[in-house]
Amino acid sequence: MKPAASPHHPESKGKSAHTARKVAAVYVHPYTSQLIVALLLMAVSAAMTAVLAQLMQPVLDDVLYGQKKELILPVSLGVFATFLVRGVTTYLHTLSMNRIGQGIVADIQRDLFNHFVTLDLAFFHANPSGQLISRVVNDVNVMRMALVETMTGFGKSAFTLLFLFMLMLYQDWKLTLAACLVVPFVSIFLVKIGKRLRGVSGSIQDQMASLSDLLSQSFQGVRMVKAYGMEEHEKDKIGGAIANVRDLNIKSVHIRNLTTPVNETILGLIFSLIIVYGGYQVLAGATTAGGLASFLAAFTLAYEPMKKLARLNGNLQMGLGAADRVFEMMDLKPLIGSRLDAPDLKVSAPEILFENVTFTYEGEGEAAWRWGSFT
């Protein structure tokens, strides 16, 4: 058997890219129209977040500092309408994306099982039932969580960042570009984290498959376990497998959450610099307090989708690791198959013959059974 490719090896990258293209071409394509509608809803919801940030300027400059009483009601109604539209569109696109994601994964799960039953007996002799059940249940479940969360969160976060970035450019393009200088460094860090997560994900799924297989063997052979007093041995064996899964899951959480201190540090640094720069700009009369507050609101609101994208990258890498294992099975071909030019089997007189057959039922004596033929 060919050894698994390292998550840092180019072959692993190629496999994941192939898997992603296959999922998109075969399983996402049938949902294209629903996906377009969901993306439009996401865009509207994301735009409302930018509108909220922009509304901070008239709230401060016109209503609070300008004391324009006639604007209090229109501005408040605008804020309410923005929240209402964002809430409704968020609900609709989340529901739609979940429906699409669940449908895609159910299609993959069905096709995986359908493919299994077409393979020859040698495959089932080489792969214990626990391993195969783990592929259909555990691996696909990891794909389900990754796909649903990615499809639901990625588009919304990307649109939100885009609209907020455009708003920040409109308000102060120099400060916006300066704040974005750290993006390449963060991206490199996230890529490295993603590579490590993909490797850990593959190990977790391997250990989950081994645990499922060990449990299946233990339950099926419980009579032998009881007969030979092997209870403690089975406890140690299963306990060791459970501990391996536990340790790998803890490791994945540790790697995934490495992004938190990095993101928080970068956010604090940029936020502090914006306050210093913006404060001098307000004092110099180059901008207003409302303009600075609107810029800070846009930057703060942009931080949440940035964090979500970092988390989604981790989930996506774990999902790709599980998807690689699933499609590795789906790419297998039966070792035994009919030739394309094979003639049809024709049996003119089908017959099954039983001779000198005896049987017992529940140990209640032996009976003779003879059939001349069965057709």
Side-chain angles (χ1 to χ4, degrees), residues 39 42-43 46-47 150-166 302 304-306 308-309 312:
L39 288 174
M42 282 183 180
T150 300
M151 293 186 68
T152 303
F154 182 81
K156 173 68 176 296
S157 298
F159 278 127
T160 302
L161 279 176
L162 174 62
F163 286 119
L164 290 172
F165 179 72
M166 292 170 61
E304 186 59 35
M306 283 193 290
K308 184 172 290 186
L309 286 174
L312 289 176

Side-chain angles (χ1 to χ4, degrees), residues 36-171:
I36 291 174
V37 173
L39 288 174
L40 290 174
L41 291 168
M42 282 183 180
V44 174
S45 178
M48 293 302 102
T49 301
V51 170
L52 284 174
Q54 177 60 32
L55 284 173
M56 290 298 298
Q57 184 167 0
V59 167
L60 287 175
D61 289 342
D62 297 331
V63 176
L64 297 182
Y65 292 135
Q67 296 184 351
K68 297 179 181 179
K69 297 180 180 180
E70 68 276 8
L71 293 180
I72 294 178
L73 185 59
V75 171
S76 62
L77 288 176
V79 172
F80 172 75
T82 303
F83 273 104
L84 178 62
V85 172
R86 189 174 70 163
V88 172
T89 52
T90 298
Y91 167 76
L92 292 176
H93 83 67
T94 301
L95 186 64
S96 180
M97 279 298 190
N98 267 274
R99 185 181 293 112
I100 294 170
Q102 297 289 352
I104 290 171
V105 175
D107 293 341
I108 295 173
Q109 202 166 30
R110 183 195 61 242
D111 289 350
L112 178 60
F113 174 78
N114 291 346
H115 180 69
F116 277 158
V117 297
T118 65
L119 298 176
D120 48 69
L121 288 177
F123 168 80
F124 293 97
H125 291 157
N127 294 273
S129 59
Q131 297 273 353
L132 301 182
I133 292 172
S134 179
R135 298 291 176 112
V136 177
V137 178
N138 295 329
D139 289 359
V140 176
N141 191 51
V142 173
M143 288 182 62
R144 184 192 310 277
M145 292 186 292
L147 187 61
V148 170
E149 291 182 10
T150 300
M151 293 186 68
T152 303
F154 182 81
K156 173 68 176 296
S157 298
F159 278 127
T160 302
L161 279 176
L162 174 62
F163 286 119
L164 290 172
F165 179 72
M166 292 170 61
L167 175 61
M168 291 164 65
L169 281 176
Y170 169 75
Q171 292 170 337

Side-chain angles (χ1 to χ4, degrees), residues 22 34 69 81 90 97 105 127 130 137 144 163 196 222 232 240 252 260 265 279 338 358 364:
K22 187 170 184 178
Q34 299 178 45
K69 297 180 180 180
T90 298
M97 279 298 190
V105 175
N127 294 273
V137 178
R144 184 192 310 277
F163 286 119
R196 293 183 62 186
V222 67
E232 294 302 319
S252 72
T260 300
T265 302
S338 298
T358 61
E364 295 180 355

Side-chain angles (χ1 to χ4, degrees), residues 197-242:
L197 274 174
R198 191 185 309 173
V200 172
S201 174
S203 300
I204 290 174
Q205 298 313 307
D206 287 338
Q207 291 298 322
M208 287 292 293
S210 298
L211 176 59
S212 297
D213 186 36
L214 290 174
L215 288 170
S216 177
Q217 293 177 13
S218 183
F219 292 144
Q220 290 177 5
V222 67
R223 291 178 180 269
M224 299 295 292
V225 172
K226 295 290 186 181
Y228 289 95
M230 300 288 289
E231 290 90 348
E232 294 302 319
H233 172 75
E234 291 298 306
K235 288 179 183 179
D236 292 340
K237 183 171 64 175
I238 299 298
I242 292 173

Side-chain angles (χ1 to χ4, degrees), residues 9 34 76 127-128 168 174 227 266 300 333 352 358 361:
H9 195 277
Q34 299 178 45
S76 62
N127 294 273
M168 291 164 65
K174 293 181 181 179
I266 293 174
T300 305
K333 304 296 182 184
I352 300 176
T358 61
Y361 182 75

